Amino acid sequence: MSQTVIKEKAIAYEALSTFFKGDRDKAWSILSSLNADFSSSFASYTREFTSSFQEESEFNDIWRRTRDAFFCEKIPFSVLDEEDERVRGKMAPIHFLYTAGNRELGNEKRLVILGPPLPSLQAKSDIFDAVSLSKERGWAVVAPLDSGSGAYALQAAIKLGALPIAVLSSGISKCPSESLLELMEGVYTKGILVTQAAPCVKYEKWHVVLRNRFISSFGDGFFLSEEKNGGPSWAIFDGAREKGKRVSISLSSANNPNYSWCGERLGEGVVPYKKAKDLIKLFPDEKTPRKKREIYVDPTPSLFD
């Protein structure tokens, strides 16, 4: 499906969501039932679900405003639908994903790095080592675009040359705070910005909840460097565990009595992190390449050569 058609479908979905007062399930159900190819303007399909001329006129106004928001976006962006092989099965509970940056989303394994807003020196060290391993193994470093651990992981990825993927709770060109503007620009230049929020969606604080649910599906492996009891990372970490994702917790945090939740969750199915290479266990199909055995050759000339 071409990018033009996918964008037209996304515009239709957002317009329907607005038309039905935020009922996104109903919008998706109707959109799916139309069996339209979306190669032409969605406004031409309006009469298939509106019951009066007044409703049709109202929807067309909404559709035009939604379309204008998409085409007035400040930076170039791409739209992925849930059937795209790069995200299939990893977008629950959403249908469209918006990306922008110097790189296209690929099939790289995605290591989500989590931690508190104020990470300790040990947590920063563990995060840096995890990013360094990601660069070595070709994994993408995924983190929410938040201050603290998320920002540190993304900064380390930019510095070390790993692929940074920043997940936003706002629109693709909307920075959550002025302090993160430089980092967001760095990710846009070196990696990928990702959000589930369409250009027409006005940001609200509770969108962070939606972002965290998405990250718990989007990642392949999850590393928690440190987090206080009840901290914001648990929503992503526990969500990932419930989905059967592979997760890891730093032993230094698990052994800290101030972080009892870390110790309680360090049980069955959780990889204990002591050194960076422990994270390879999050990706069972990864194989550590063996060093080729060097055969010693005596350089001394032989009488029989």
Side-chain angles (χ1 to χ4, degrees):
M1 191 181 297
S2 72
Q3 188 59 204
T4 300
V5 171
I6 294 175
K7 280 190 178 181
E8 186 66 44
K9 188 176 181 181
I11 291 169
Y13 171 63
E14 294 297 335
L16 283 168
S17 297
T18 302
F19 182 71
F20 293 119
K21 313 303 180 186
D23 190 338
R24 301 181 78 79
D25 290 336
K26 183 176 182 179
W28 181 251
S29 176
I30 288 178
L31 188 72
S32 302
S33 68
L34 291 176
N35 294 318
D37 61 9
F38 299 100
S39 58
S40 59
S41 169
F42 183 70
S44 62
Y45 303 103
T46 303
R47 293 177 182 174
E48 295 192 34
F49 61 87
T50 54
S51 58
S52 67
F53 176 79
Q54 184 176 354
E55 281 191 348
E56 183 179 347
S57 178
E58 178 188 354
F59 176 80
N60 287 337
D61 286 341
I62 292 172
W63 178 85
R64 279 190 290 270
R65 291 197 299 270
T66 305
R67 178 202 58 190
D68 291 346
F70 270 66
F71 287 100
C72 290
E73 181 55 78
K74 295 178 181 178
I75 59 176
F77 68 96
S78 298
V79 185
L80 305 180
D81 67 5
E82 60 185 2
E83 294 302 317
D84 192 296
E85 62 179 8
R86 294 167 292 179
V87 292
R88 187 181 297 143
K90 297 180 181 180
M91 284 174 56
I94 61 175
H95 303 292
F96 296 96
L97 191 65
Y98 303 87
T99 70
N102 186 49
R103 293 275 302 272
E104 285 287 335
L105 198 64
N107 295 315
E108 301 92 351
K109 292 181 174 65
R110 301 165 198 152
L111 176 66
V112 177
I113 298 181
L114 304 169
L118 295 173
S120 66
L121 290 177
Q122 181 62 54
K124 285 184 176 181
S125 177
D126 290 342
I127 290 172
F128 190 87
D129 290 344
V131 174
S132 181
L133 179 69
S134 298
K135 164 61 177 174
E136 177 187 323
R137 308 292 297 194
W139 304 337
V141 173
V142 179
L145 189 65
D146 287 335
S147 57
S149 298
Y152 187 77
L154 294 168
Q155 287 166 346
I158 293 171
K159 180 178 180 180
L160 297 175
L163 173 62
I165 300 180
V167 184
L168 290 70
S169 54
S170 59
I172 199 69
S173 64
K174 308 293 191 302
C175 190
S177 72
E178 189 174 346
S179 63
L180 293 170
L181 185 58
E182 185 177 349
L183 173 60
M184 185 175 176
E185 291 175 351
V187 174
Y188 179 70
T189 302
K190 301 290 185 180
I192 308 170
L193 301 172
V194 172
T195 183
Q196 59 181 302
C200 58
V201 174
K202 183 179 179 181
Y203 172 72
E204 296 183 45
K205 288 185 177 179
W206 63 271
H207 289 173
V208 172
V209 175
L210 301 179
R211 180 202 65 184
N212 291 345
R213 289 177 186 169
F214 164 67
I215 295 176
S216 67
S217 294
F218 184 63
D220 296 308
F222 295 75
F223 170 52
L224 181 66
S225 62
E226 181 180 270
E227 185 58 283
K228 66 180 181 179
N229 295 357
S233 296
W234 292 114
I236 300 174
F237 184 89
D238 289 341
R241 285 192 72 188
E242 290 171 4
K243 293 178 175 67
K245 303 280 187 171
R246 292 180 177 267
V247 297
S248 176
I249 293 179
S250 170
L251 277 175
S252 62
S253 297
N255 294 329
N256 187 330
N258 295 320
Y259 301 134
S260 61
W261 283 24
C262 291
E264 290 169 4
R265 284 163 172 75
L266 191 62
E268 185 178 355
V270 178
V271 175
Y273 175 97
K274 189 173 182 180
K275 59 184 184 300
K277 289 193 175 179
D278 291 331
L279 297 178
I280 296 176
K281 298 173 185 176
L282 297 177
F283 306 102
D285 56 335
E286 285 267 319
K287 294 181 180 179
T288 304
R290 294 183 178 180
K291 291 184 178 179
K292 291 184 178 180
R293 185 177 178 182
E294 295 184 1
I295 301 174
Y296 176 75
V297 178
D298 188 346
T300 307
S302 170
L303 177 64
F304 301 102
D305 285 346

